[in-house]
Structure formats: structure tokens, C-alpha cells
Amino acid sequence: MNSAFWRLFPVALAMLCGSCGRDGVTETRKELSVQIASPERRLFEKIISVEGNIEAHEYAELSSRTAGVVDLRPFDEGSSFKKGDILFQIDKVATENEVISAEQDLKVAEAGVFKSEIDVEIARLRMEKTAVDFGRAEKLRGEKVISEDDYEKRDLVNREAEAGFKHAEASLLLAKALREKAGSALDIARKKLSDSIVRADFDGVVTAEFKEVGEYADKAKAVLRIENPSTLEAVALLGCAHYGLVEAGRTRARVSSGGITADTLVSYKAPSMDTVGRMFEVRMKIPSGRGFVSGMLCHVEIIAESRDGVGIPSASVLERAGGRKVAFIMNENGVAEEMELATGLEQDGWTEIISPDLLSSKIITQGEMRGMFRDFLGGQAGFKSTVNVPSPVGGSASQVEMEISGDDQKTIERLAAQAETIFKESPLMTDVDTNVRPGKPELKIVPKLPILNDMGISPADLGEITRGAVDGIEAGTYKVGDRSFDIRVIARELGDIEEVSTFNFSTRNGKPLDLDSISEKQRGRIPIQIVRVDKRKTAKVYANPRKGVALGSASALADREIPRTLPAGYSFRFAGQIEKMKEGQADFLSAILSAIVLTYLLIAAFLESWTKPIIIMRTVPLALIGMFMALFLAGMPLSMMGLLGFVMLIGIVVNNAILMMDELDIQMRKGIPEAEAVLLASKIVFRPILMTSIAATLGIVPMAFGTGLGSELRSSCGMGIVGGLVSSTILSLTVIPMGYLLFYVRKPKKSPPAQKIK
């Protein structure tokens, strides 16, 4: 409940409970019906809630180190692989042929080296033989055995042998160089082949394909994305205010998504803040086998602090001036006593109490506060009072706010008084009030113009003298620092308004003259305020519906009774909550019609039929039956949240009928007769319809029957959805098959009677 409302609690208790210690004054003690709660020992957690993503801790976007055409990709998207498996290969045939060609070139180069080595050996032997022959020739030349020509020939042959040996050695060096070049070319070809093959570094699955087989892949452009689904983690961003509350490896966290929850620890905290968003990243490893999938959105709860403690309902904790927290406890005599508290954490509508020890105390949580205030304030004389409960969205205006507009202020005030009487006499309204208040007393001084003219006194002089005597005449300004004060000169202080008649004036010849002889006094009242709406004078009437009365019933009363009291030229309209309610009803009507039309068109597109969706859409009024019945039995009015629930029902209740219609079509296509097909289809889909409906209903039950902050807003929505799901589930199993037989199955045309042939 709003804390502003609970600030009135001690005032009421001070006025209604106990006795006053003032001398000569005795206050009667009044009993008040309240709700009592006992403190509970429970777990309190300081939770930081954020939204995040589920990501794989091990993932990679794989690209080739060479550019080319994707020739081999044995794993498609969704396929599993093992560590070391080939995921794809670029230019498989070309790179493999390059290796084969380089290997062959290396063999040729090695053969060339071998041949060059043989050639060197032959050249060496030849050079040695020619050297021996040349030595003999020199010896024979000295003995004059051979001629000079023979000697020169032997010398030439020896030199040619030496040159041939050098040539053979050079050829060997060249062959070895070619062999090294061929070896390098083979290494390059093998490296290119290795670069064209991409293998998995871990076990995982292919999650995305960027290039198909036969497509050209640029260097460093991704071809596949792979992930290890067994190493998932939740990633979220936290505000800078929480940086000191999170510690990697120690802070607990809770990750949930799609009804799956996992408890874990914060495994990583960013070492620094993002300078733009002033946020930091945290990561939580998720245990495998929990059902999480990479790419899911998740809700992350960082448990920054956790401890056991004694708690009381938060609605019973009141805030005082200076930030003090108090609560009211029931003593042994059944009297409420105020106790100051030291509070800690808050969670799920409960507040931790650090001191004092309230474990054995009885805490006052709620009472009929409005009725208490009405009873007390209604018996006080001299003022008018109304009691309003703060709205959940802020403010504390009355729920019924009506504006009566026209041209004459007195007529408007009279009509507002009549409307106030109608509301007070109605059993539907309470806290009735208007903005019409008794006017201020007014004294008009009307000069007698003929007498003033005879005496030579102008009405302006009379007005200035009278104003100076009553209100004073501004004579100057007095400044103190930055502030200024008007200096007014007043003839004398008035003890009573009747003293105005004693004012004296002087004629031109100096004779005294009293105010009554030259003016007339007229008494009356002037309004305190004049309210205008759309440039028309307006009076407002306020009221609240009584307990159990819907706001629509209160507005219907005004629509029925108020127009009878309005004369021509005067009108009324609703403002505040009723105005918003009517605007919301119009918007919801458009939303409901749009939802029905869009649902019909979508079903017609899926079933490729314009008639079958009509039968399916019959489940919508079937849901309305249960919706209104549930709200009636629960004593809840049809609020805006209830209309929102109906919009949701339009898309939910048709699912059962779609299952039924689809199974009916399947059985009819098998050639089964209509009646048997209906019975068989109903039997087949009974279990799926029942299971899905029960699951959907149980999912809405906490919204319908839950308590706590905001439950009054969502309970009507949840209750209507539960009732609509139950009624549509029960009735769709009978109404849809009957509608199918009555309106969709065409009866066979009768063949024309055979004509007699003469």
C-alpha cells in the first residue's frame, strides 16, 4: 500500500485509541478492526536484477587463411563434430595437385643432382688421366722424343679436361640449387594445402553457415561459426554503482529463461568500466544439461548480499520525518503502540528488522482506515472532509470527478449542489464533495452621484480616500538586502467593518461630511474562485464508489440522473479516472476488433479457407462466458486489465479449435464418414487440448490469486483469463465439432429423377 496513505495511521490511532493526558479532557477509546501478522524468520537477499544473453564460452567464427572456392564442407548447420575433424577446405583439388606437382619437381631435381655428381666424377677421372698424359708428354719433350706439336696437343687436352671438371662441378652446384628450390616449392605447396584445411579445435556444433560449397571465400572472411554447447555462460551489463558489490568467483547469481533456472557464481567481472555507458560486464558459467541454448534471452539475478533475519510485512513499516521507520504493535491490552525500527533489506513484500527484537510481537498490518477516518472526521463541526486512497500510479484524487459547465456562476453552483445531493442519497456513492465553497463577505460602497456633483467631489476622490482608510496608500518602498517591502499609509486600523460608516470627508469649504450621506452600502458575497474549463465557468463534484461498486456503475448513475437537472445551455462531463476509463474502453475496443480480424486472417491464410476460421473464431465468445462468470464469482469488476486479458484470450483460445479443425480435416481426407471423423478427431485431440489448457491455466493462476504490491491491478486480468481458458476448453470440445458438422460439411446434392423413355 502506498506509504502516503499509511502516514495517516498514527494520526487516527492518536485520535481513536487510548486516553489523552490533558487536564480535564477525556477521550473515548474506539475499537478498530485490523489485521495482525507475526514476524517471521526468513532469508533476505539484496538482488540486482538485469537482463542478459546466453552465449557459448567456447565459440569461433572460422575463416580460411587462403582465398579460393569452398570445395569441401562435410558438416552442415546443426551438425556435431569432434575435435580435429575437418570442417571445410578451400580449393581442395588445386592445392592437392600443387603438392603432387611439387613432389614430382623435387624428384626431378634430385635426379639432376645425382647425374651432376656422376658427371663430376667422370670429369675428375678424365682430368686425372690427361694430367698423367701431359706429364709424360713433358718428359718426352725434354728427351726430344715427341715433336712440339704433339706436346701442344697434349697440353690442350689437359686444359680441356680441367675445364670440363670445373664445368661438371658448376653443374652439380646448379642441380643442388634446383633441388633446394624444388624442396622449398614443395614446402610452400604443403603449407598452402594445410592452410586450406580448417579443423575443429574443440567438440561442438555448427551454428551458422556463411559460405556454401562452390562459393568463393576471401581470405579472413568467415565461412562457419561453431560453438561448444556444453560451455554456456550468461552475459549481462551492470551499472557502475554495483561494481563494488560483485566479486568474481564468490558472488552468487541466478539465471532463468523460459522456465529454466540455474544457480551459479559470477565467473568474470570486467576489470574496468565502459566510459560511454558507465557499465561493466559480468559473466556466469552455466552448468551443462540444464536446457539452456546459446542465443536465449535470460533474466539474471546477482545476489549481492544474503542473510537470515526477522522480517515483517513492508506495508506495516511507516516512515516518519527525518527518515525514521516505525511500526505499530499490539500490546497485551489490545492497544496499538508505536515502535521505532532499524530496518535492513526488503524482499517480496517483507522488510528485515535489525532492531528491536520483534519475533514474539504482533504487528498491525492493515485495517479499515477509510471507514475510521470517515467516522471520526464526519462528527467534527466547522469543516468538510473526504477520504481518498492513493492511486497505484500516484495521486489521491477521487475516483469520480464530474464537471458542470455553463455561463452563470450561481446557476452552476446550484447545479453542483443538486448533483452533490443526488450522489449523497445514492447507495452507490460515498465521500461526496464539490469545489463550491461559501463566498467571502463583500461590502460595496456605491457613491450618490447627484450629491457628489453638487458638492464638487468626484467619485475618484471618494474612492481614493476610502481605499486609503481601508487598505492604505502606497507611499514608498523599503529595501533590506535583496528584498523590497511596500510602505503603506493607513488612516487608522479598523476594528470592525461597521466602522467604515464612521469615515468623515471634508467638503471644499472645510465642513465635515460622513460617508453614509454621500454613498450607499451594499452587502453581499463574492466567490472564492472561478474555475474555467475550455473557457467556460465550471464547478466540480467529487465522489468515490462504495466498497464493491464498480466505477462504471457510478458513472452510469451520473449519466442517468444528472441530465434531468441541467437547464438549456449547461452540460456536464467526467474527468479523472472515469474519463481515462472511457478513453481506455474505446482504445481496447479497437484493439479487440483488430485482434479478432488479424487472428481470423492469419488462420484463414494457414488453413487456406474462409469458412473454417469462422468456426474456429466461435471459441472467442465461449471464452467470454467463462471470463464474465469468473469475475462475477470473484466479485471483481471488469477493469482495464480485465479487457487486456480478453485481448490475450483472443490469441490463446483459438489454439484448441485449430487443433480440432486440423485433425478433422486429416480424418475427412482419409475417407472416414463425417460423424465417425468427428468422434475420432475429438478422441485424438482431447489429451493435447487438455494438457495445453491445464498448463496455460496453471501459468496464469499466480496472476489471478497472487497477493502483494500491484496484485489489485493484475488480479482481474488473471481471473478473467483463467475463467476464459476453462470455459473455452470445455465448450470447444463440443461446440467446434458440432459447428463443423452443421456449417462446414456439405450435404451431397440429390441426383435428378430419371426420365422415362418411351
Side-chain angles (χ1 to χ4, degrees), residues 206-486:
V206 178
T207 58
E209 301 174 350
F210 304 114
K211 296 293 182 182
E212 298 289 342
V213 175
E215 289 185 336
Y216 184 82
D218 290 328
K219 186 178 180 180
K221 295 294 184 180
V223 177
L224 292 178
R225 178 184 172 87
I226 60 174
E227 295 179 358
N228 186 352
S230 62
T231 60
L232 297 179
E233 60 184 3
V235 182
L237 294 175
L238 299 181
C240 59
H242 306 304
Y243 193 84
L245 302 176
V246 180
E247 185 176 354
R250 298 188 62 181
T251 303
R252 295 189 299 117
R254 188 178 299 116
V255 181
S256 59
S257 178
I260 311 170
T261 303
D263 294 326
T264 180
L265 294 175
V266 175
S267 58
Y268 169 81
K269 182 178 81 169
S272 61
M273 294 280 183
D274 178 15
T275 57
V276 178
R278 302 300 177 187
M279 306 184 80
F280 66 97
E281 183 182 80
V282 292
R283 294 177 177 266
M284 289 70 60
K285 290 186 178 179
I286 299 176
S288 59
R290 296 298 181 91
F292 289 95
V293 179
S294 175
M296 295 175 66
L297 294 175
C298 64
H299 179 73
V300 179
E301 294 180 348
I302 307 294
I303 305 173
E305 189 176 354
S306 176
R307 60 175 178 262
D308 290 327
V310 177
I312 64 175
S314 298
S316 60
V317 179
L318 313 178
E319 186 173 353
R320 292 287 182 266
R324 295 188 307 113
K325 301 290 184 66
V326 300
F328 285 89
I329 64 172
M330 187 73 70
N331 63 15
E332 297 177 354
N333 300 323
V335 179
E337 294 182 353
E338 181 179 310
M339 180 172 291
E340 188 168 349
L341 309 173
T343 60
L345 301 177
E346 293 189 17
Q347 184 180 7
D348 299 334
W350 287 76
T351 299
E352 180 190 14
I353 304 302
I354 299 176
S355 65
D357 185 8
L358 301 178
L359 194 58
S360 59
S361 304
K362 295 180 179 180
I363 307 298
I364 299 177
T365 60
Q366 189 177 358
E368 294 295 334
M369 304 297 293
R370 283 190 291 179
M372 178 183 66
F373 290 139
R374 291 191 189 102
D375 294 342
F376 176 79
L377 298 176
Q380 306 299 317
F383 67 94
K384 299 177 68 176
S385 64
T386 58
V387 181
N388 295 320
V389 176
S391 169
V393 295
S396 60
S398 299
Q399 297 183 51
V400 179
E401 182 177 344
M402 185 177 66
E403 298 175 350
I404 300 176
S405 301
D407 298 327
D408 183 64
Q409 183 67 26
K410 293 183 178 180
T411 304
I412 294 173
E413 294 178 356
R414 177 178 57 81
L415 295 175
Q418 293 179 1
E420 182 181 11
T421 302
I422 292 173
F423 285 175
K424 286 182 176 180
E425 293 176 352
S426 171
L428 304 179
M429 300 289 198
T430 186
D431 300 326
V432 183
D433 191 16
T434 69
N435 69 339
V436 178
R437 298 291 183 268
K440 295 180 180 179
E442 179 187 37
L443 178 62
K444 289 184 179 181
I445 299 176
V446 182
K448 298 177 181 179
L449 296 180
I451 298 176
L452 291 178
N453 291 333
D454 293 341
M455 294 184 175
I457 301 174
S458 67
D461 295 337
L462 176 62
E464 185 176 357
I465 295 172
T466 305
R467 186 181 303 111
V470 176
D471 191 35
I473 298 175
E474 186 176 345
T477 302
Y478 174 68
K479 291 186 177 181
V480 178
D482 296 333
R483 302 186 62 183
S484 299
F485 302 90
D486 294 335

Side-chain angles (χ1 to χ4, degrees), residues 598-666:
L598 292 175
T599 304
Y600 173 81
L601 294 176
L602 185 62
I603 297 173
F606 284 157
L607 298 182
E608 298 181 352
S609 172
W610 293 105
T611 56
K612 293 179 182 177
I614 297 176
I615 302 175
I616 293 174
M617 296 301 293
R618 292 176 184 270
T619 55
V620 175
L622 300 181
L624 280 176
I625 297 174
M627 178 179 177
F628 288 121
M629 185 175 296
L631 292 176
F632 175 76
L633 295 177
M636 297 180 181
L638 181 60
S639 62
M640 293 293 103
M641 296 298 292
L643 291 177
L644 176 62
F646 177 61
V647 175
M648 297 170 61
L649 277 174
I650 293 174
I652 297 175
V653 299
V654 297
N655 295 334
N656 296 337
I658 292 174
L659 285 175
M660 179 69 73
M661 291 294 297
D662 184 61
E663 188 61 33
L664 279 171
D665 286 342
I666 293 174

Side-chain angles (χ1 to χ4, degrees), residues 60-310:
E61 287 189 356
L62 303 176
S63 59
S64 173
R65 290 181 286 269
T66 60
V69 177
V70 179
D71 282 342
L72 177 65
R73 204 193 65 196
F75 298 101
D76 295 327
E77 185 173 343
S79 301
S80 301
F81 54 83
K82 297 293 183 181
K83 181 178 180 180
D85 289 345
I86 296 177
L87 298 177
F88 65 89
Q89 185 173 356
I90 303 296
D91 289 336
K92 178 178 182 297
V93 176
T95 52
E96 290 178 351
N97 288 338
E98 287 182 8
V99 172
I100 295 173
S101 177
E103 289 175 346
Q104 293 175 350
D105 291 341
L106 180 60
K107 291 179 180 180
V108 171
E110 289 177 345
V113 171
F114 182 71
K115 178 179 179 299
S116 297
E117 289 176 347
I118 294 174
D119 291 342
V120 169
E121 184 65 22
I122 293 173
R124 184 182 63 78
L125 294 175
R126 183 180 178 186
M127 182 184 66
E128 291 177 354
K129 182 178 182 304
T130 55
V132 172
D133 292 341
F134 180 68
R136 289 176 182 175
E138 283 185 339
K139 185 177 181 181
L140 293 175
R141 175 188 177 192
E143 295 176 355
K144 304 292 184 176
V145 176
I146 61 174
S147 63
E148 203 58 41
D149 291 336
D150 291 336
Y151 173 77
E152 291 177 357
K153 289 180 181 179
R154 296 292 179 89
D155 184 29
L156 179 61
V157 171
N158 185 38
R159 291 181 181 180
E160 288 178 353
E162 290 177 353
F165 178 74
K166 293 179 180 180
H167 181 269
E169 285 184 334
S171 298
L172 178 59
L173 293 175
L174 178 61
K176 289 181 177 180
L178 292 176
R179 183 180 63 181
E180 291 180 359
K181 181 179 179 181
S184 299
L186 178 59
D187 292 339
I188 293 173
R190 287 175 176 172
K191 180 64 170 58
K192 187 175 180 181
L193 176 62
S194 176
D195 291 344
S196 68
I197 299 175
V198 177
R199 299 180 182 274
D201 293 332
F202 52 81
D203 298 344
V205 296
V206 178
T207 58
E209 301 174 350
F210 304 114
K211 296 293 182 182
E212 298 289 342
V213 175
E215 289 185 336
Y216 184 82
D218 290 328
K219 186 178 180 180
K221 295 294 184 180
V223 177
L224 292 178
R225 178 184 172 87
I226 60 174
E227 295 179 358
N228 186 352
S230 62
T231 60
L232 297 179
E233 60 184 3
V235 182
L237 294 175
L238 299 181
C240 59
H242 306 304
Y243 193 84
L245 302 176
V246 180
E247 185 176 354
R250 298 188 62 181
T251 303
R252 295 189 299 117
R254 188 178 299 116
V255 181
S256 59
S257 178
I260 311 170
T261 303
D263 294 326
T264 180
L265 294 175
V266 175
S267 58
Y268 169 81
K269 182 178 81 169
S272 61
M273 294 280 183
D274 178 15
T275 57
V276 178
R278 302 300 177 187
M279 306 184 80
F280 66 97
E281 183 182 80
V282 292
R283 294 177 177 266
M284 289 70 60
K285 290 186 178 179
I286 299 176
S288 59
R290 296 298 181 91
F292 289 95
V293 179
S294 175
M296 295 175 66
L297 294 175
C298 64
H299 179 73
V300 179
E301 294 180 348
I302 307 294
I303 305 173
E305 189 176 354
S306 176
R307 60 175 178 262
D308 290 327
V310 177

Side-chain angles (χ1 to χ4, degrees), residues 743-756:
F743 302 104
Y744 185 72
V745 177
R746 296 184 177 89
K747 297 180 180 180
K749 296 181 179 180
K750 295 182 179 180
S751 57
Q755 298 180 358
K756 295 182 179 180

Side-chain angles (χ1 to χ4, degrees), residues 36-56:
I36 302 297
S38 298
E40 295 182 5
R41 185 170 295 279
R42 56 195 294 130
L43 177 66
F44 288 93
E45 296 177 337
K46 184 176 182 180
I47 296 177
I48 307 170
S49 297
V50 292
E51 302 300 319
N53 298 318
I54 302 295
E55 298 179 359

